[in-house]
Amino acid sequence: MYLTLADSGIKKLAVHGPVGISRFIKAGSGFCENRPEAQLEPSELQPPFNPVVVDSSLAVTPIVVLREGVAPCEEAGRPLVGSVAVSYVARLADIAGRFDVGRAKAVGVPAGPLFGRLK
């Protein structure tokens, strides 16, 4: 995926994932040797899992699921294979609807301050 993004002009990408994602990114860095300008910035998620991206239009929050009875990482800080899954919830900001003056009048809403409050 990153190689496709790099080919389209994106040179920097933040990658958020469970403990060990940094090692995973480093292990795959050999595939980007012909793109020395490539910048993958890993970010290992730690509890509490707050949104990793928040702006006026989007909030992305990780959902980390650990297998029951298994610690999230080994002593060496490596994730246990099959013990962790990460999904992401992307929530768009609320978008105000359009106020239909004609429809409001048709249902008997009087023009004036109430129109302003309904918008």
Side-chain angles (χ1 to χ4, degrees), residues 1-79:
M1 178 179 77
Y2 178 69
L3 296 177
T4 301
L5 290 170
D7 288 344
S8 69
I10 302 211
K11 303 300 178 204
K12 186 175 182 180
L13 182 67
V15 180
H16 302 273
V19 172
I21 193 71
S22 298
R23 290 170 21 100
F24 178 79
I25 296 295
K26 186 173 182 176
S29 65
F31 293 104
C32 297
E33 287 178 347
N34 62 342
R35 292 178 178 82
E37 72 284 356
Q39 295 180 33
L40 289 174
E41 295 183 356
S43 174
E44 296 187 351
L45 302 173
Q46 302 288 337
F49 301 111
N50 297 318
V52 294
V53 173
V54 178
D55 64 23
S56 62
S57 62
L58 179 72
V60 179
T61 304
I63 306 297
V64 180
V65 179
L66 302 174
R67 192 172 71 205
E68 188 175 343
V70 177
C73 355
E74 296 176 352
E75 292 173 16
R78 295 183 222 151

Side-chain angles (χ1 to χ4, degrees), residues 79-92:
L80 297 170
V81 175
S83 69
V84 63
V86 181
S87 293
Y88 298 88
V89 175
R91 186 171 190 281
L92 296 174

Side-chain angles (χ1 to χ4, degrees), residues 103-117:
R103 192 165 183 191
K105 287 180 180 178
V107 296
V109 177
L114 185 55
F115 270 29
R117 288 197 322 230

